[in-house]
Amino acid sequence: MSLSVRPTTIALATLGAVTTGLLAYAAYFDHKRRTDPDFRKNLKRESRRIARVAKEEAEAQGANQKRRIRQTVTEAQEEGFPTNVEEKEAYFMNEVGRGEVLCQNEKTHVEAALCFFRALKVYPQPGDLISIYDKTVPKPVLDIVAEMVAFDGSIPVGGFGGGPGSDAGGSTGAVDD
C-alpha cells in the first residue's frame, strides 16, 4: 500500500507553516517592543538614523538641482537669444512646444523649465507670459522656472507665482511670500 499525498495538501501545509511562523515572529516582536527598553531605544535610534539619512539625501538632491539649474541658465545665456522679431517668434513657439512635451515626464522637468525660460527671455511682455505659465505649466516645472528667473535677474517681472498682486493691472512689483 502506498500513500500518496496530493500537491495541494503539501502547498496548504507549507502555507500554514509559513503563516504560523510569521504570526509567531510578529507576536515576539510586539512583545519585545513593549517590554524591553533597550529594544525600544534601538528601534528609535534606527528610526532617527534613517530619517537623518533621508533628510541628508533630500538636501543633497536639492543642492544638486540648484547647481544644475544655475549651470543650465549659464549655458543658455552663453548660447544667446535671437534678436530679429521673426526669429524671436519662431524661437518662442519652438521652445514653448518643446517645454510642453518635456514637462509631461518628471525626469525632464529641468529641461522643460529651461525651454519655458528661453521662451520667457524672448517674449516682449514677460509678466504676462508668467501669468499664463502660472495657469498652464505644472507647479514643479513652474518652481524651477522661478529659480531660473531669480538666478538670471535680467527678466523684468512684477510678481512671480500668481499671488494676489501678480496680475498685470495691479502689480506693485513686489514678490508675494
Side-chain angles (χ1 to χ4, degrees):
M1 291 197 321
S2 73
L3 279 156
S4 66
V5 180
R6 294 193 303 172
T8 55
T9 305
I10 294 172
L12 287 174
T14 304
L15 181 64
V18 169
T19 302
T20 302
L22 288 174
L23 287 174
Y25 179 74
Y28 167 77
F29 181 83
D30 188 53
H31 174 72
K32 275 293 246 192
R33 181 183 59 85
R34 290 178 186 225
T35 60
D36 189 355
D38 291 333
F39 190 74
R40 280 196 306 266
K41 284 181 188 176
N42 287 336
L43 283 176
K44 284 183 183 178
R45 192 175 300 134
E46 185 67 18
S47 175
R48 277 183 262 154
R49 186 188 67 78
I50 290 171
R52 186 182 68 243
V53 167
K55 181 181 175 186
E56 289 171 356
E57 285 179 4
E59 288 173 355
Q61 191 174 32
N64 187 29
Q65 181 168 343
K66 284 185 185 276
R67 181 190 53 75
R68 185 174 173 208
I69 288 170
R70 290 176 189 268
Q71 180 181 0
T72 56
V73 169
T74 304
E75 289 172 2
Q77 290 169 337
E78 289 171 358
E79 289 174 10
F81 301 96
T83 55
N84 184 329
V85 174
E86 289 83 22
E87 290 174 357
K88 281 185 177 182
E89 186 176 327
Y91 184 78
F92 171 81
M93 295 305 288
N94 182 41
E95 292 299 318
V96 168
R98 285 183 51 218
E100 287 175 349
V101 170
L102 290 171
C103 73
Q104 303 303 319
N105 184 354
E106 246 182 71
K107 294 178 182 177
T108 58
H109 278 180
V110 173
E111 290 82 5
L114 181 61
C115 291
F116 290 124
F117 172 76
R118 287 177 177 155
L120 188 62
K121 288 287 282 188
V122 299
Y123 198 73
Q125 301 285 326
D128 295 344
L129 185 59
I130 287 175
S131 65
I132 293 169
Y133 283 172
D134 195 27
K135 296 172 188 163
T136 59
V137 176
K139 181 151 176 45
V141 176
L142 188 62
D143 291 343
I144 296 170
V145 172
E147 286 184 44
M148 289 178 169
V149 169
F151 177 70
D152 181 49
S154 69
I155 299 175
V157 291
F160 192 89
S166 68
D167 62 337
S171 179
T172 61
V175 176
D176 296 327
D177 284 335

